[in-house]
Amino acid sequence: MQGETEKSDHIVPYGTYVNVWIALMLLLAATIAVAKVEFSKYSVFANLLIASLKAGLVLFFFMHLKYEKWVLKAMLFMVIATLTAVIALFFADVMFR
Amino acid sequence: MENNAADYENSFYQEKGRYNGVLSWLMSTDHKRIGIQYLAAILTFFSIGVMLGLLVRLSLIAPGKILSQNTYNQVFSVHGILMIFLFIIPGVPVAFGNFFLPIMIGARDVAFPRLNRLTWWLYLAGAALVALSLFTSGGPPDTGWTFYAPYSIRAQANITLAVTGVFVLGFSSILTGLNFVTTIHRLRAPGMTWFKLPLFVWTLYATGWVQMLATPVLAITLVFIILGRVFGVGFFDPSRGGDPILYEHLFWTYSHPAVYIMVLPAMGIISEVIPVFARKKIFGYKAVAYSALGIASVGYFVWGHHMFTSGMSDTARIIFSFITFLVAVPSGIKIFNWVATLYKGSIMPNAPLYFALSFIFLFSIGGLTGLIIGSLAPNLHLHGTYFIVAHFHYVMFGGAGFAILTALHYWFPKMFGKMYPEKPAKVGWFILFIGFNLLYFSMFILGYRGMPRRYFDYPPEYFNLHLISTIGSWILAIGLLVILVNLLRALFRGTQAPSDPWGGKTLEWKIASPPPAENFHEIPEIK
Amino acid sequence: MSYERGAIEKSGEQRDQTGAKYGMWFFLFTEILFFGGMFILYSVFRAKYTQDFHLAAGEENLLLGSLNTAVLLTSSLSIALSISALKKENYRLSVQLQTATVLMGLIFLVIKYFEWTAKISKGIYPDSPVLLKMSAGQILFFGLYYVMTGLHGLHVLIGIVVISFMIYFTKTGNVTSGNFSKLENTGLYWHFVDIVWIYLFPLFYLIT
């Protein structure tokens, strides 16, 4: 993080956004291709991985997370970790019933 | 509202804004006016809830003579729904948090004043929907406050409307939490660093996070109930492949953290009151502050202990039981630090301290019995009995309820600018304390002997304890009446309160009683 | 933490745009948990009825689903660009980009409408006789499909309404390069709705 100035009025160049969009479209094509190929077990994993990559791109560039302070990133991480832990606890019940 | 000196001589009661009469309250975005309105509302619902509770107790000493079975189910359900969703969950944050959070951090208002007003309107709308569900077709909900599926999906009663009401109340709660967290991040006065924040603010911060992260889970769960009733979506209906235990999971994923929404800010009040009346700094400030975050984060993951007998897997039961024990650690830290603060303090025995000390005593009983039912083996015996009812009344009423009474007596001079007579407050406290223990301690014994909760009738050997409990409920009601009448009288006849009657050190005691409309003439610098 | 100091005046002369942004992020955190509740049910039921879910997902129209994903991702691009345009004081371009976002949101909903009606005409909807004859896993799959895409669609609809207001605000000078937080927060919301769809798409259309 460079400096402590307010970076909320940081202007992201149009080109960055367009590049991110191209990447998103390529990932969309990739995820459809993965589904068509059918690796059975692994395709679920691969599809969710690609989805997370896409979500990451949207978060970091479209939603400016890249340019935000660490506090916000840490809080978002905490929220996602909370949801993950809740899911894990659900499965601690459902998987061992 | 330029920095006109006259504005700071008038209290916020005189500063009406654009509207007159009732609208000057309903349309106000002043956090203090919103706080006062919330306080009036929660105390009203509390009074109605108490009356319903008295009715339940009365019915239990003469089953069948006072209430019919069906009415009994409806009365205890409505008692639960009112007390939980309209009184104790909004409770401390909406009334005292709204009034004091901005003042304590040296701000003029919360971060989003209009959003704050919206939460108040949503609260009213939610309350109206719940009230409507009692009198329209189908009749009051008879599911208990937990709305367990699949019964809540099939029941004839007016569940859809009540659940919608609770959904709206949840939305109000989320927005309050969001507002407070943003306020604490953004509006602290210059020099008010995180570790100079009053402890009440720390607990509101932790509570705000729990409100934001737990309440949406309730919201979606309630949406599932509504969709189940209206469209026949059967996620919790075994005949459609659904799983009722998942309902319990989702419900308690919110409703256990909700316990901390009720109790954490209550603990914050105690952490403010104890040092003031012991004339000492709080013992272990940082430990108390961190323990609030500790309780909030660990407390989020213990919901399964409500479900030990539901048919959940053994693996999950062991994990949940273990985490439940963990949450006792930060709670214990707080208790020990309060007691250590009192040690060698020069104690002023005023009414707020009486309530605060009984909080520590009653909450400790509630917390320690929580460990008994948090361990697996005793839980199998005690689950679904009066032991549980006693436990959560000790935590909710003995904890959060007594903290609200503490706050009422501690901050009354600041909120209303009037002093109340000490003696009736203490007499009321004494009657309340006796009644409380008669009422709820009998329930521990009843539950231990096997009396199931929510039952309408029981074998004769339980009668004596039921009778003691019911007599206790009358004594408790008299105590509450003395306390409330005393405060209401003081509202009209009390003497003018000085700006700092107790020798408090936090910022609210630096300004006039009642506070001026904009709180501070100049935003204070904290050194 | 010097950046967090100082109070907002009630009169609103000094706007705390960062505070407004934090508020919006906090709201999105609550949305994560709200949709989280649905994803939890999906994952639990899927783990229980893997085979049924495979079968039922075959009913979904992959072409329309992929098309909708592309539409929504592109609308995310246009709203992001509109904020940059606003900050560069190119208000006309910003309005055009916001309008494009609204149009793409509408296209998304229209496609969704065709998908739903196609299914309903086959008799597949919650509580329908056709659906109740299917296996437990299939009943749950289509229940989840309607609930999750339905609530997501509701969020899209709300987003469309809010962006329409932003177009109006940008035109009337209520939203400007110096006062951008309304549009920025709308953008955050729209992107979040997009992210939810990014996960819904593989879960309902691809995992066959």
Side-chain angles (χ1 to χ4, degrees):
Chain A
M1 307 243 62
Q2 62 275 43
E4 274 291 319
T5 48
E6 291 282 354
K7 274 175 283 182
S8 51
D9 51 350
H10 176 99
I11 303 176
V12 182
Y14 298 138
T16 313
Y17 284 145
V18 174
N19 288 339
V20 170
W21 177 77
I22 293 171
L24 284 170
M25 287 299 156
L26 290 176
L27 284 170
L28 173 61
T31 194
I32 296 169
V34 167
K36 288 278 174 199
V37 174
E38 292 228 22
F39 307 102
S40 67
K41 255 200 314 204
Y42 300 105
S43 68
V44 177
F45 178 73
N47 277 319
L48 285 180
L49 189 74
I50 294 175
S52 299
L53 280 175
K54 280 154 83 183
L57 282 173
V58 173
L59 267 174
F60 271 85
F61 292 96
F62 284 173
M63 296 175 85
H64 288 219
L65 196 62
K66 185 169 180 279
Y67 312 100
E68 299 292 352
K69 300 204 167 59
W70 68 270
V71 202
L72 199 62
K73 289 177 194 162
M75 289 191 289
L76 177 66
F77 176 78
M78 187 199 73
V79 173
I80 293 170
T82 304
L83 181 61
T84 316
V86 170
I87 294 177
L89 283 171
F90 267 76
F91 274 83
D93 171 21
V94 185
M95 285 287 102
F96 298 95
R97 218 184 264 168
Chain B
M1 282 189 227
E2 291 306 300
N3 283 4
N4 183 351
D7 278 351
Y8 297 93
E9 282 158 22
N10 290 335
S11 85
F12 73 97
Y13 290 108
Q14 277 133 6
E15 178 66 54
K16 286 201 176 62
R18 267 191 295 165
Y19 299 90
N20 285 317
V22 186
L23 279 184
S24 76
W25 286 89
L26 282 176
M27 298 302 291
S28 174
T29 54
D30 181 356
H31 66 100
K32 297 181 289 299
R33 279 182 175 246
I34 293 171
I36 295 279
Q37 292 177 86
Y38 264 126
L39 181 66
I42 63 165
L43 290 181
T44 308
F45 288 118
F46 174 66
S47 311
I48 301 172
V50 168
M51 285 182 231
L52 292 172
L54 287 172
L55 202 55
V56 170
R57 278 311 327 161
L58 194 63
S59 168
L60 279 165
I61 53 167
K65 300 215 174 78
I66 295 147
L67 301 178
S68 71
Q69 284 98 323
N70 201 27
T71 324
Y72 175 81
N73 287 349
Q74 292 168 343
V75 171
F76 80 67
S77 297
V78 176
H79 167 77
I81 293 168
L82 281 190
M83 285 298 207
I84 300 269
F85 292 113
L86 288 167
F87 169 58
I88 203 88
I89 285 181
V92 180
V94 295
F96 301 106
N98 257 323
F99 200 102
F100 289 106
L101 166 68
I103 303 180
M104 282 177 135
I105 63 172
R108 296 217 154 94
D109 208 320
V110 290
F112 308 114
R114 278 184 299 176
L115 193 69
N116 203 14
R117 180 177 62 182
L118 179 67
T119 72
W120 166 234
W121 292 347
L122 286 173
Y123 175 87
L124 286 179
L129 283 173
V130 171
L132 204 61
S133 79
L134 307 183
F135 304 111
T136 44
S137 66
D142 53 355
T143 56
W145 74 278
T146 48
F147 302 114
Y148 268 11
Y151 179 65
S152 59
I153 291 172
R154 293 177 190 154
Q156 293 298 308
N158 208 346
I159 312 264
T160 311
L161 206 55
V163 162
T164 313
V166 174
F167 180 89
V168 174
L169 290 171
F171 204 19
S172 163
S173 176
I174 289 175
L175 294 177
T176 300
L178 183 157
N179 209 344
F180 284 5
V181 172
T182 316
T183 307
I184 297 169
H185 269 280
R186 299 297 304 171
L187 294 188
R188 284 171 288 123
M192 180 66 90
T193 55
W194 283 92
F195 286 108
K196 280 183 184 158
L197 287 176
L199 286 164
F200 182 53
V201 175
W202 265 105
T203 54
L204 285 175
Y205 184 73
T207 309
W209 275 104
V210 181
Q211 283 174 299
M212 286 197 291
L213 297 189
T215 319
V217 183
L218 176 75
I220 188 65
T221 314
L222 297 176
V223 168
F224 290 149
I225 290 192
I226 296 169
L227 291 174
R229 288 179 70 88
V230 180
F231 295 107
V233 181
F235 297 147
F236 308 124
D237 185 345
S239 66
R240 292 174 183 193
D243 183 353
I245 298 181
L246 286 180
Y247 174 83
E248 293 191 28
H249 270 300
L250 285 170
F251 180 79
W252 290 112
T253 304
Y254 165 72
S255 294
H256 193 77
V259 171
Y260 299 103
I261 297 177
M262 313 169 199
V263 164
L264 264 173
M267 292 170 153
I269 290 168
I270 305 304
S271 309
E272 292 298 328
V273 169
I274 296 275
V276 169
F277 290 89
R279 303 216 155 280
K280 264 178 74 187
K281 276 174 93 172
I282 186 107
F283 180 85
Y285 170 88
K286 277 198 179 179
V288 179
Y290 280 129
S291 66
L293 297 181
I295 291 174
S297 49
V298 181
Y300 196 92
F301 303 107
V302 300
W303 75 81
H305 65 219
H306 293 266
M307 306 164 52
F308 284 156
T309 58
S310 68
M312 189 170 60
S313 80
D314 286 344
T315 318
R317 295 205 287 177
I318 292 165
I319 294 172
F320 279 122
S321 183
F322 175 72
I323 311 176
T324 303
F325 277 87
L326 282 187
V327 87
V329 177
S331 313
I333 290 176
K334 280 191 188 290
I335 304 250
F336 285 123
N337 279 309
W338 292 328
V339 177
T341 307
L342 290 167
Y343 180 65
K344 284 193 174 171
S346 51
I347 289 170
M348 299 194 301
N350 289 87
L353 186 72
Y354 280 51
F355 285 99
L357 292 180
S358 42
F359 170 96
I360 299 180
F361 177 74
L362 299 173
F363 181 77
S364 299
I365 293 180
L368 291 172
T369 51
L371 290 182
I372 296 174
I373 47 184
S375 35
L376 287 171
N379 183 277
L380 295 186
H381 174 63
L382 297 170
H383 186 90
T385 68
Y386 268 50
F387 197 89
I388 306 284
V389 180
H391 157 72
F392 71 68
H393 278 94
Y394 265 86
V395 175
M396 304 288 78
F397 190 174
F402 268 71
I404 288 177
L405 292 173
T406 311
L408 214 49
H409 286 88
Y410 177 58
W411 278 318
F412 188 87
K414 182 58 60 184
M415 295 175 93
F416 301 103
K418 296 282 168 66
M419 290 305 283
Y420 54 86
E422 278 273 317
K423 202 155 185 203
K426 285 177 185 167
V427 171
W429 165 82
F430 182 76
I431 302 174
L432 176 70
F433 188 76
I434 299 294
F436 180 95
N437 284 298
L438 278 180
L439 167 57
Y440 296 117
F441 205 85
S442 329
M443 290 191 185
F444 276 128
I445 307 167
L446 272 173
Y448 181 74
R449 295 195 182 156
M451 172 76 207
R453 72 192 279 199
R454 289 178 175 170
Y455 273 33
F456 172 72
D457 205 350
Y458 50 85
E461 64 258 35
Y462 294 129
F463 178 75
N464 286 342
L465 282 164
H466 269 300
L467 184 65
I468 296 175
S469 180
T470 301
I471 293 172
S473 75
W474 300 334
I475 300 176
L476 174 138
I478 294 169
L480 281 175
L481 207 63
V482 173
I483 291 167
L484 290 180
V485 168
N486 181 38
L487 290 180
L488 278 177
R489 267 176 59 98
L491 205 53
F492 299 105
R493 301 209 189 140
T495 49
Q496 172 66 37
S499 67
D500 189 3
W502 318 118
K505 295 279 179 280
T506 34
L507 283 175
E508 78 269 29
W509 303 114
K510 304 271 182 288
I511 57 177
S513 308
E518 300 266 291
N519 300 346
F520 302 100
H521 187 39
E522 265 169 37
I523 294 295
E525 284 243 15
I526 286 86
K527 282 159 205 116
Chain C
M1 294 203 167
S2 56
Y3 62 95
E4 279 175 345
R5 281 185 195 163
I8 314 172
E9 297 295 321
K10 231 184 195 173
S11 49
E13 271 315 302
Q14 277 172 271
R15 276 187 206 91
D16 184 12
Q17 309 216 61
T18 311
K21 185 171 65 189
Y22 273 46
M24 191 63 205
W25 272 100
F26 292 152
F27 177 70
L28 295 183
F29 292 169
T30 73
E31 288 272 41
I32 291 178
L33 269 296
F34 183 77
F35 279 97
M38 292 183 248
F39 282 107
I40 288 172
L41 279 196
Y42 178 93
S43 55
V44 167
F45 287 140
R46 194 190 144 77
K48 201 168 166 191
Y49 302 104
T50 317
Q51 223 36 51
D52 285 348
F53 269 52
H54 275 279
L55 253 160
E59 279 287 324
E60 300 293 346
N61 190 327
L62 180 59
L63 180 68
L64 289 184
S66 313
L67 192 63
N68 248 352
T69 313
V71 169
L72 214 52
L73 288 174
T74 313
S75 76
S76 241
L77 169 71
S78 63
I79 194 88
L81 288 174
S82 83
I83 296 166
S84 279
L86 184 86
K87 287 180 182 172
K88 291 182 181 177
E89 301 193 344
N90 195 341
Y91 296 129
R92 238 190 72 193
L93 181 62
S94 181
V95 167
Q96 284 165 350
L97 284 163
Q98 290 174 49
T99 315
T101 313
V102 168
L103 287 178
M104 280 184 275
L106 288 172
I107 292 172
F108 177 89
L109 287 181
V110 168
I111 295 178
K112 200 84 248 161
Y113 168 80
F114 282 122
E115 277 187 68
W116 274 38
T117 44
K119 243 181 227 84
I120 291 169
S121 69
K122 280 189 210 162
I124 300 175
Y125 54 89
D127 218 17
S128 74
V130 180
L131 189 64
L132 290 183
K133 278 201 204 85
M134 293 186 179
S135 66
Q138 282 171 305
I139 300 177
L140 289 171
F141 178 90
F142 288 112
L144 285 165
Y145 169 80
Y146 278 106
V147 171
M148 291 174 87
T149 59
L151 284 175
H152 175 263
L154 187 65
H155 277 77
V156 173
L157 192 63
I158 293 169
I160 289 172
V161 173
V162 176
I163 298 171
S164 307
F165 272 103
M166 292 308 132
I167 295 173
Y168 175 75
F169 286 148
T170 316
K171 280 185 172 166
T172 52
N174 194 317
V175 165
T176 58
S177 62
N179 180 14
F180 49 80
S181 57
K182 278 198 202 92
L183 183 63
E184 194 178 52
N185 286 344
T186 310
L188 284 175
Y189 172 82
W190 191 257
H191 296 310
F192 173 79
V193 173
D194 192 18
I195 289 180
V196 172
W197 182 258
I198 286 176
Y199 282 98
L200 288 180
F201 174 59
L203 292 183
F204 285 108
Y205 295 84
L206 293 180
I207 303 174
T208 48

